[in-house]
Structures are given as C-alpha cells and as structure tokens.
Amino acid sequence: MADPRVVPALAVDQPDRWAAVGRWFLGLGAVVFLAAIPVKLSFQNVGFISMIVGAVLVRARLWRHPGFVIACGFAAWQALSAVVSPYPDPIHRWGMAYNWLAFYLCATAFADSRWPRWGLKLMAVTCVLVLVLALIQFTVGLDRGAKPWRVSADGERFDYPVGLHHWNLTLGFQVVLAGLLLWYAGARCGLSRWWRLSGLLAALATAALAQCRSAFVGLAAGVVTASASRGWRRLLIVSVGLVLIAGLGLLTMVLANPEKVERMRRLEDGRRYIWPVSLGIVNDHPAFGVGGARAFKPVYKERFATAYPDQTPEFANGAPHAHNSFISIAAEHGLPALLLYLAWIGAILLFLWRRRDASPEAWSLGVAAVAFAFAAGMFENYAGDSEAAYALHAALGLAVAIALRRSADVARPALVAATPEPTTDEYHGDDDE
C-alpha cells in the first residue's frame, strides 16, 4: 500500500475499514481509467467516478498536490464566463471545468505501485484490441451509425477507422499518448520490454490507419522534448529517427490520399479561415470569451460571414471550436482562463523539474506528455475534449506519483544513515552515589 509519508494527499491516520475500501475504489478506478484511454470516454468516466468515491472514503487531501488552487481558479473562471455571457445556455459540455480532477486522483492512486503496473498492462492489451477493431473497420467497412463496433459491410471501406470513438482524430490522439505512457513509464512501473513494445507498436499502427496528422506532430514534439531533457546525444539520435519516420509518413499520405496532400500544398485547409475568425472572437471578448462552445458556433457563423462574404464556409452552422486548444479556451472563456490553464500545467511541470535529478523518468514523462498535447493541440481543440484531457491528466498524475515514490526512495537511505545507532548500555544512576 502507499506510504502516507510519501503521498501528501493521503491522511496519515486512517484506522477505519471504510478507508481500506476507499483505497480499493481509488486504485481499481485508476486502473480502469488508465486502461480505457485507447477505448472510449464512457469507460474513462467509470474509472473517474470510482476514483472520486475512493478519494472521499480515504479522505484524500488532493489540494496538497501541485497547482490545486490554480485549477480551482480555472474552473471558477469558466463558470463566471458562462454567467456573464450574453448568449443563452452558452456551455455545451462542462468537462473542462472538472476533468482536471483526474490529475489529482491519479497522482494519489498511483502512489501504490500495483495500480500503474496493472493499468499499463491492461492499456497495452486495449491498444492491441483497438488495433484489431481498426483493421476490421478499415477492411470490412466503417459505419459510424452501427454502434458499438461501427463495422458494416455496407459501410465505407478503407476509410479512416475511429475505434469506439466518434472521430479518427480522437482515436489517434488517445492511442499515441497511450504509447508514450507505455514507453516512458512502463519500465519504471515494472513492465517488461515486450509489454511496452507490443502496446507502443499497436498504438502507432492504429494512429497510422486513422491518419491523425496532429497526433504524429505531437509525437515528434513529445519525443524530442523528452530526449532533450536527457542529454544532447539522445536528442541527436532521436531527431534522425524522427526525420526518417516523418518521411515515411509523408510518403504514406501521398500514396493513400494524394488529393488531401494537394489541398494542403495549396493552403486550402479549413483552418486558414477558422483561426483568423476565432482570433477575432478573442479580440471582441478578451475577458470572458463568449461563454462556451454552444455560444461559439453562432458567433463564429456571424463573424465568418462578415469577414469572408464570398467564401463558402466549411461548417454551415458555424465551427464547433477554433481547431486549436489555446485559441478555443480564449475564445470560449477569455484570456484569463487560458493563462490559468497554462499556469496550472506550469505548476505541475515545475514540481517535476525540481525532482528531475531524483526521478528523471518522471520528468521525461511529464514533458513528453505536455509537449505532445500542446503540439497536437495546435490543430485540434484537444484541451476541450474530455477524452484527450483525461489522457493528459492521467499521464501527468502518473509522472507526479513516480516522482514522489522515487524521491522517497532516494531520501530513505539518507534518513537511515542520519539515525544514531541504538545503544545497549544500561543506566545505573549517578556515579557519585
């Protein structure tokens, strides 16, 4: 079990049986939460709810992990932006206002080394199973309406698979981040190289089938950043490998979808118009944004018609978001919300950076996950997608848990060395008697 002296979020005195039950809810929920990253949001929510129940039963002091006050401020600002919004019912989903709790729950649960080991092994298995489903969707036929497997002989063959998700871009993000988790945290959590490689290769193959360009951009950023944190020699070797992989990926895209490559070459991507219009919305509503994603669509539609009257919009009813994590947060909830979000991530990275000497693997995992999510988020609103946000928060929570355990392992020998040896001499009173 986790040592309360190692995990500041756990209370030291927990004599009642409900605390023991809570630890199981917390741990098993974290296992489900981690293993469900490549699969589906509903399974992630099951793990999330289980962790909340466990945290209540063990009376976890979640606020003792880094950045808690900032995260609360981020949630409060979103609520305030919805209250002051001039648009009715502006928020479509409230996920971004509460899914940051997953970081604190995972950081507490994964302090017990059993749970991340089981969770990562199950995640490797789910990566392989998702690859099998993606291959079936790709070869037999994809039908998004044929739930739950979305497979139909009457569907579109050789279309981008989506797994159990709604979109191929979500699938690509989830599986690639799962692969990064397996690679950077697997060894520290007791997984063999076979487990790590099988899950990683399955994740990369699934992302390649899904043709998720943003995920591969994020992968390159994450790997390069993590390598840079471990020395320039490793960075050089990894950079050469990534150049070769990028060339292979571009060749695959040219062969599989030459029309899309040609549109990219002619700068006909929809973001060419989405980003300027969204930045205009930020300029009009800098403090509180428009209040949420539901309000963003009609505002976007109106502003697009004004800015590009002769251009046919890609989204007839308005874009669902800004197709950029940072612009989306600012447009929906204002620039202060974006600054609070970045400050929260910064507080977690600062915590890991201060422990980088004792736990370099935790630091590498943290910077790899953040660089991946931020780079991929330059092209999609992954920060506003609960599935993607859950995955990032799980990675950061695991990194913090590893850092806490490793720091305790390093400090314990020094504590033992500083403890005086017990004496066997007996006290017989004063010698002067």
Side-chain angles (χ1 to χ4, degrees):
M1 301 300 289
D3 186 346
R5 293 169 297 180
V6 176
V7 190
L10 289 179
V12 175
D13 185 18
Q14 296 178 347
D16 61 275
R17 68 179 64 181
W18 287 112
V21 174
R23 287 174 182 264
W24 280 97
F25 268 98
L26 189 63
L28 293 177
V31 169
V32 172
F33 189 78
L34 200 59
I37 287 175
V39 184
K40 192 175 177 64
L41 176 62
S42 56
F43 295 110
Q44 289 177 289
N45 282 331
V46 169
F48 183 66
I49 294 170
S50 177
M51 286 192 292
I52 290 176
V53 172
V56 171
L57 292 176
V58 302
R59 302 186 298 279
R61 301 164 181 172
L62 302 180
W63 58 88
R64 300 190 67 179
H65 285 304
F68 190 85
V69 174
I70 300 175
C72 290
F74 177 56
W77 197 269
Q78 292 179 67
L80 182 61
S81 73
V83 170
V84 303
S85 173
Y87 307 98
D89 193 19
I91 292 187
H92 178 50
R93 297 186 181 94
W94 282 90
M96 195 164 56
Y98 65 82
N99 58 37
W100 51 268
L101 273 171
F103 160 73
Y104 296 96
L105 296 167
C106 288
T108 303
F110 290 145
D112 187 336
S113 59
R114 296 175 301 172
W115 306 129
R117 182 170 61 252
W118 293 353
L120 288 173
K121 283 186 175 182
L122 282 176
M123 189 168 68
V125 172
T126 56
C127 282
V128 174
L129 294 176
V130 167
L131 172 60
V132 172
L133 177 60
L135 285 170
I136 295 174
Q137 291 175 344
F138 187 76
T139 54
V140 176
L142 174 67
D143 183 356
R144 288 180 170 84
K147 297 181 180 180
W149 309 114
R150 307 182 193 280
V151 176
S152 173
D154 298 327
E156 188 72 26
R157 295 185 66 196
F158 308 121
D159 196 3
Y160 306 142
V162 299
L164 297 180
H165 301 279
H166 292 291
W167 306 105
N168 63 308
L169 301 179
T170 304
L171 173 63
F173 183 97
Q174 298 296 96
V175 294
V176 172
L177 186 49
L180 287 175
L181 269 165
L182 287 166
W183 188 250
Y184 286 108
R188 186 68 181 85
C189 295
L191 269 68
S192 66
R193 185 178 292 270
W194 185 91
W195 278 101
R196 296 160 62 201
L197 276 177
S198 60
L200 174 62
L201 293 177
L204 294 179
T206 303
L209 284 173
Q211 287 289 300
C212 183
R213 293 169 292 164
S214 58
F216 280 104
V217 171
L219 174 64
V223 172
V224 167
T225 305
S227 301
S229 72
R230 303 294 290 270
W232 68 269
R233 288 187 180 88
R234 183 175 297 186
L235 172 62
L236 181 62
I237 295 172
V238 168
S239 298
V240 172
L242 285 174
V243 169
L244 296 176
I245 293 173
L248 180 62
L250 181 60
L251 177 61
T252 303
M253 187 181 296
V254 170
L255 295 176
N257 198 336
E259 296 84 2
K260 190 169 189 176
V261 175
E262 180 62 23
R263 290 197 301 271
M264 291 170 58
R265 190 188 67 81
R266 294 199 301 262
L267 299 178
E268 293 181 354
D269 187 89
R271 296 171 184 83
R272 176 184 178 184
Y273 304 102
I274 294 173
W275 289 343
V277 173
S278 300
L279 287 172
I281 295 174
V282 175
N283 185 65
D284 291 344
H285 307 273
F288 297 103
V290 296
R294 181 170 285 145
F296 178 85
K297 292 183 68 173
V299 175
Y300 176 92
K301 180 180 179 180
E302 179 182 349
R303 190 173 182 88
F304 185 97
T306 303
Y308 303 101
D310 299 327
Q311 180 68 33
T312 301
E314 182 177 356
F315 300 95
N317 296 320
H321 49 73
H323 285 69
N324 178 290
S325 291
F326 313 107
I327 300 177
S328 292
I329 294 174
E332 294 175 15
H333 301 292
L335 290 172
L338 174 60
L339 293 176
L340 286 167
Y341 176 76
L342 295 176
W344 177 62
I345 296 293
I348 298 171
L349 290 180
L350 179 62
F351 178 90
L352 295 172
W353 180 79
R354 287 173 173 171
R355 290 156 179 79
R356 69 192 184 283
D357 293 332
S359 184
E361 58 276 281
W363 170 240
S364 294
L365 172 60
V367 296
V370 171
F372 166 80
F374 278 18
M378 296 299 295
F379 307 97
E380 292 294 332
N381 180 25
Y382 287 119
D385 183 357
S386 290
E387 291 161 295
Y390 272 156
L392 174 61
H393 301 160
L396 292 175
L398 180 55
V400 166
I402 291 173
L404 287 170
R405 290 206 313 267
R406 184 60 181 157
S407 297
D409 293 342
V410 171
R412 192 171 289 115
L415 180 62
V416 172
T419 303
E421 292 291 335
T423 179
T424 58
D425 295 338
E426 295 182 7
Y427 177 70
H428 299 288
D430 295 333
D431 295 336
D432 295 338
E433 292 184 358

